[in-house]
Amino acid sequence: MMETNAKLYGDLSRILVTREEIAEAVAKLGKQITEDYQGKKLMMVGILKGAIVFFADLLREIDLPVMTEFMAVSSYGASTKTSGVVNLVKDITKDITGMDVLVVEDIVDSGMTLSYLKKYLSTRGAASIKIVTLLDKPERRRVDLTADYYCFTIPDEFVVGYGLDYDEKYRNLPDIGVLDPSVYSGE
Ligand code: IMP
Ligand code: MG
């Protein structure tokens, strides 16, 4: 597992979820979504940038006609803690009236990002809005927000890899690991 990205893996205190575990969970989730969205107008909305890897894998496990859109929000900057203020940086480009929207996120932490996005999208006439997240950190929730689908519940530790970053780095690690606190202790 450590044969590639050796420099980046050195900053992890441990691997939390391996690429094999991720692939298995994503395939299972794709099958579930394929069943649940039969006959619906599925539009997957990926939240940039953390969800890109998960989004690309999940998309290919869905055996239905599906449209794709992306949104970007900012709340973190170069920090492991949310600023609590969510800014919309990039909006969707298509009309979502009548669509069954599935928002695809990398991780639900405080819940502020998704609660903001859900509220924002609900004013746009979608037939339904559901949330799918790869990771859920329930201990950190600051607002009442539950994902409709998730792959893994994780403890309150800062993780990177498989799309998740710290200061824009580590997104390219194929596994998910706990970032060693010494990397961000100067924060
Ligand atoms: P929330 O608004 O606090 O739920 O934060 C959600 C966003 O924070 C996610 O989309 C991630 O980009 C980022 N985030 C939260 N926890 C982590 C983590 O452990 N590693 C990397 N990014 C994280
Ligand atoms: Mg991020």
Side-chain angles (χ1 to χ4, degrees), residues 51-69:
I52 53 166
V53 182
F54 175 48
F55 186 97
D57 283 348
L58 180 61
L59 181 64
R60 286 174 290 178
E61 298 290 347
I62 292 175
D63 189 12
L64 289 173
V66 51
M67 293 178 72
T68 57
E69 279 289 318

Side-chain angles (χ1 to χ4, degrees), residues 47-51 73 75-76 79-80 82 86 105-115 135 137 140-142 154-155 157-161 164-166 171:
I47 309 307
L48 300 173
K49 294 177 261 188
V73 292
S75 74
Y76 269 60
S79 167
T80 56
T82 181
V86 182
E105 178 59 303
D106 53 356
I107 184 167
V108 187
D109 188 45
S110 71
M112 311 266 294
T113 305
L114 280 171
S115 134
L135 305 174
K137 250 193 222 177
R140 302 250 309 169
R141 209 68 99 249
R142 279 163 59 181
I154 64 163
E157 291 178 289
F158 196 82
V159 297
V160 294
L164 289 103
D165 74 306
Y166 170 64
R171 295 193 199 276

Side-chain angles (χ1 to χ4, degrees), residues 1-10 19 172-175:
M1 188 191 300
M2 302 287 193
E3 75 283 9
T4 54
N5 309 98
K7 274 203 176 66
L8 297 177
Y9 275 109
R19 64 193 78 177
N172 54 326
L173 291 179
D175 308 282

Side-chain angles (χ1 to χ4, degrees), residues 43-48 55 67-73 88-97 99 101-104 117 120-126 129:
M43 178 183 278
M44 282 170 62
V45 177
I47 309 307
L48 300 173
F55 186 97
M67 293 178 72
T68 57
E69 279 289 318
F70 294 93
M71 291 177 92
V73 292
L88 186 65
V89 175
K90 185 213 172 304
D91 204 345
I92 43 176
T93 57
K94 289 271 190 314
D95 183 11
I96 62 167
T97 308
M99 302 298 295
V101 173
L102 191 56
V103 179
V104 182
L117 285 173
Y120 180 78
L121 287 170
S122 67
T123 65
R124 306 282 205 89
I129 303 172

Side-chain angles (χ1 to χ4, degrees), residues 25-26 28-29 33 54 105-106 108 131-138 141 146-154:
V26 171
K28 195 173 152 208
L29 179 60
I33 292 169
F54 175 48
E105 178 59 303
D106 53 356
V108 187
I131 291 169
V132 51
T133 184
L134 175 70
L135 305 174
D136 188 6
K137 250 193 222 177
R141 209 68 99 249
T146 339
D148 300 281
Y149 303 93
Y150 68 93
C151 290
F152 304 98
T153 297
I154 64 163

